[in-house]
Amino acid sequence: MGADIEIRGLCVRFGSLQALDHVSLRAEAGSCLGLVGESGSGKSTVLRVLTGLVEQWEGRVEVAGRALMGGRRDLEFCRQVQMVFQDPYGSLHPRHTIDAILDEPISIHRLGNASTLIPQALADVGLPQDVRFRYPHQLSGGQRQRVAVARALLPAPSILLLDEPTSALDVSVQAEILNLLVALQKKRRLTSILVSHNLAVVAHMCPRVLVMDQGRIVEELSSDALDAGEASSSQARALIAASRHARTQASNARQ
Amino acid sequence: MTAPLLEVAGLTVSFPTRDGLHPVVRDVSFTVGREKVGIVGESGSGKSMTARAILDLVPPPGRVSAARLAFAGQDLRSMPTRERAKLRGKRISMILQDPRHALNPVMTIGAQLAETFRLHKGANGRQARERSLQALNAVHIRDPARVVDLYPHEISGGMGQRVMIAMMLAPDPELLLADEPTSALDATVEAGILETLDELVTARGMGLVLVSHDLDLVSAFCDRVLVFYAGRIVEELDARNLRAAQHPYTQGLMACVPRLGQRRTELPVLRRDASWAR
């Protein structure tokens, strides 16, 4: 079962750069919230503040009713909130087997018996059992991302943060990972925040989408409004145009 | 009818492994005229290796063989290495995926661009700088006078890719190979870069080979599309008739992309058939 995330007036500065400027958002338990924007718009910084990877910030951040401070997170928080990163080539230890990678959350959070949990975790994300004793370089990009998802789900988190989970993957593999994430999110009723610059990906997964630009939230859209192309801010319109660009051009040529 | 710009027939690229030669490109044949041709396929399908083989840039120990590999009627296979190096850059050039790796990090943009003009066009220092400014202007960089003196790390990825395009177009090549030119960039920036590329290629009447894994994008910017799978061309299509694709792989590639205004609870997943790779 998921938990609420509530952020009010979040500000982050990196030197002279105002990375986040009074960002407020709320993700209800069990819902999936999308964050879109160009690179540098601050969407990943929101996730990094939540997980404690950014230590200096101002504002109020509450997860499951508990207020967060600075960059310190306790073990229980780390069990409840898990993150999947963009690049499955960089986020898995190259010299650990999949077994060792998945064993880590089990031993840290004392989840129980690895010999039953690891096969179950692999099955949950649709990986064959013979993957268990291989190294990351022996897997394809899509399989690696599945391992990263399996690792994130092992401690049975209530909140899953997804930072561009399919950007480093081929379109053919992207569909598999998106299907997996949608199914898991529904089945486990996870509260998720999905960050991406691909509007179509976000609209596919999230009923509610926030558009960010230069550290600010400029617009909130429902995925229905996105499908209909209804957006008032120029940033959101630019993103919609970009995701449709290919097809409008092709249809122009056809006429 | 003159000879097409690029003729490729029976191109095979293979790498030696413990179990013998492993082919990554297998018996690929196509021609490119003064048109825009797209090469689409997933990672490992051999699309980049095909582009590299044309430029003789396959890294060792890779081996290239072809029944015919010709540029503007000249046979590339029998051409001495030195001659071929002259062709590279001057008449055929290549845009790589990530401008952050392709630009020299310790040279200013202006110095790198000027070098191209001096090398290929025999321009002197002042001419080279002037032409660099014009080139930056042509790729729609605002305020080129400021950008010429910047280092690659001081500009954005999109700007870096525009600089790359300016640099690659500087010697007025006849054929441009673009290997995933926008994969490292944002969706909003991507459109602008491709439009610029399209505009310049069309205006100069060049040939363009655009390599990408994004079928939608390739079909929007190219006249013809070659679909690669496991090192082979499985289908060749007119970009306008993409919907008429026959091969299940091409159909699968089109169906699995999430699109706005097309809500599906589950995306169709590409089911691979072992017979496609044969």
Side-chain angles (χ1 to χ4, degrees):
Chain A
M1 189 58 201
D4 283 347
I5 299 170
E6 182 148 12
I7 295 176
R8 261 175 292 156
L10 178 63
C11 293
V12 173
R13 287 188 82 85
F14 296 129
S16 62
L17 177 80
Q18 183 88 40
L20 289 181
D21 186 5
H22 293 92
V23 166
S24 300
L25 61 87
R26 193 181 145 78
E28 281 89 22
S31 70
C32 185
L33 177 71
L35 283 182
V36 275
E38 295 179 24
S39 25
S41 62
K43 50 195 195 311
S44 293
T45 309
V46 173
L47 298 192
R48 297 177 71 85
V49 167
L50 274 170
T51 47
L53 293 169
V54 175
E55 294 180 4
Q56 301 271 326
W57 48 272
E58 285 165 36
R60 190 166 173 79
V61 179
E62 268 180 36
V63 172
R66 282 171 60 201
L68 302 182
M69 309 291 276
R72 298 188 62 170
R73 302 287 180 270
D74 58 20
L75 193 63
E76 174 56 19
F77 180 93
C78 296
R79 192 196 63 72
Q80 240 189 50
V81 181
Q82 288 285 323
M83 186 151 164
V84 176
F85 294 90
Q86 174 170 2
D87 186 2
Y89 299 82
S91 62
L92 301 179
H93 196 302
R95 297 189 61 176
H96 283 179
T97 60
I98 305 308
D99 183 68
I101 289 168
L102 294 179
D103 191 44
E104 208 154 357
I106 295 176
S107 57
I108 289 172
H109 297 290
R110 299 199 179 91
L111 298 175
N113 189 353
S115 59
T116 56
L117 283 171
I118 291 176
Q120 182 58 43
L122 289 173
D124 282 350
V125 294
L127 280 173
Q129 293 301 323
D130 60 356
V131 159
R132 185 170 168 189
F133 295 104
R134 292 202 210 157
Y135 286 94
H137 75 265
Q138 294 171 305
L139 306 184
S140 69
Q143 286 178 320
R144 287 185 223 202
Q145 198 61 302
R146 283 176 193 263
V147 171
V149 173
R151 176 176 60 184
L153 291 178
L154 259 172
S158 54
I159 293 170
L160 187 62
L161 305 174
L162 305 162
D163 191 0
E164 305 258 15
T166 62
S167 302
L169 305 175
D170 272 349
V171 282
S172 47
V173 182
Q174 167 175 287
E176 292 173 25
I177 298 294
L178 282 177
N179 284 343
L180 171 71
L181 290 173
V182 169
L184 288 169
Q185 203 255 336
K186 285 217 176 94
K187 189 171 150 208
R188 304 200 176 196
R189 307 194 55 193
L190 296 164
T191 312
S192 340
I193 299 184
L194 171 67
V195 163
S196 178
H197 68 260
N198 186 330
L199 205 54
V201 166
V202 175
H204 176 74
M205 242 192 108
C206 312
R208 247 177 83 223
V209 178
L210 302 175
V211 182
M212 293 193 66
D213 184 54
Q214 294 179 19
R216 264 184 289 243
I217 291 175
V218 290
E219 190 163 4
E220 177 175 341
L221 289 160
S222 69
S223 55
D224 292 328
L226 276 177
D227 283 342
E230 290 162 9
S232 52
S233 66
S234 60
Q235 291 85 355
R237 279 207 298 269
L239 284 165
I240 291 178
S243 74
R244 288 210 168 138
H245 192 85
R247 279 182 310 290
T248 51
Q249 283 254 333
S251 57
N252 287 344
R254 238 174 257 130
Q255 282 158 12
Chain B
M1 184 68 191
T2 52
L5 217 45
L6 179 72
E7 292 168 76
V8 180
L11 177 72
T12 299
V13 181
S14 41
F15 283 84
T17 63
R18 245 183 306 189
D19 316 316
L21 275 183
H22 176 72
V24 292
V25 177
R26 298 181 298 164
D27 194 21
V28 162
S29 307
F30 62 96
T31 58
V32 181
R34 299 192 179 274
E35 57 178 339
K36 289 168 278 177
V37 175
I39 295 186
V40 190
E42 50 198 343
S43 15
S45 61
K47 53 192 193 317
S48 294
M49 271 307 156
T50 303
R52 282 170 172 264
I54 294 165
L55 280 175
D56 194 20
L57 290 177
V58 171
R63 289 179 207 169
V64 182
S65 69
R68 182 161 174 78
L69 191 60
F71 174 73
Q74 291 169 276
D75 194 347
L76 293 175
R77 291 172 308 151
S78 56
M79 194 180 277
T81 320
R82 188 175 274 227
E83 290 280 308
R84 216 167 157 182
K86 269 191 200 159
L87 208 64
R88 193 157 56 212
K90 194 166 245 164
R91 298 183 67 191
I92 314 179
S93 59
M94 186 161 179
I95 297 175
L96 296 167
Q97 181 166 353
D98 194 341
R100 273 163 280 233
H101 296 308
L103 293 171
N104 185 341
V106 294
M107 271 169 92
T108 62
I109 302 299
Q112 294 185 54
L113 264 171
E115 188 182 44
T116 320
F117 283 109
R118 281 208 309 274
L119 201 66
H120 291 292
K121 293 281 165 189
N124 65 30
R126 191 196 291 170
Q127 285 168 340
R129 187 175 166 93
E130 220 154 82
R131 305 228 2 216
S132 308
L133 285 173
Q134 287 168 2
L136 288 177
N137 210 23
V139 292
H140 304 297
I141 282 188
R142 271 172 256 142
D143 199 4
R146 185 180 65 89
V147 175
V148 278
D149 294 320
L150 296 178
Y151 285 91
H153 74 269
E154 297 176 293
I155 59 176
S156 67
M159 238 198 237
Q161 203 56 292
R162 284 179 191 273
V163 170
M164 278 298 292
I165 294 174
M167 200 177 292
M168 292 304 130
L169 290 180
D172 288 317
E174 288 148 77
L175 180 67
L176 184 64
L177 307 176
D179 189 3
E180 307 253 6
T182 57
S183 303
L185 307 174
D186 269 354
T188 42
V189 182
E190 176 174 70
I193 298 281
L194 286 172
E195 259 161 42
T196 307
L197 195 58
D198 186 31
E199 177 191 315
L200 294 172
V201 166
T202 312
R204 295 174 188 219
M206 296 163 48
L208 171 73
V209 177
L210 179 66
V211 177
S212 173
H213 67 263
D214 191 337
L215 190 58
D216 269 358
L217 181 133
V218 165
S219 63
F221 283 91
C222 295
D223 309 317
R224 269 193 307 139
V225 180
L226 309 173
V227 183
F228 270 60
Y229 183 77
R232 243 180 231 289
I233 298 179
V234 293
E235 191 159 21
E236 182 175 341
L237 282 164
D238 191 341
R240 294 180 206 183
N241 296 330
L242 211 57
R243 298 262 153 80
Q246 295 295 312
H247 199 278
Y249 176 67
T250 320
Q251 292 171 345
L253 267 189
M254 279 193 289
C256 68
V257 185
R259 293 188 168 100
L260 286 183
Q262 205 178 328
R263 190 68 57 78
R264 288 171 291 188
T265 43
E266 199 173 325
L267 294 166
V269 171
L270 203 60
R271 302 222 177 280
R272 290 176 176 77
D273 196 320
S275 68
W276 299 351
R278 251 174 242 148

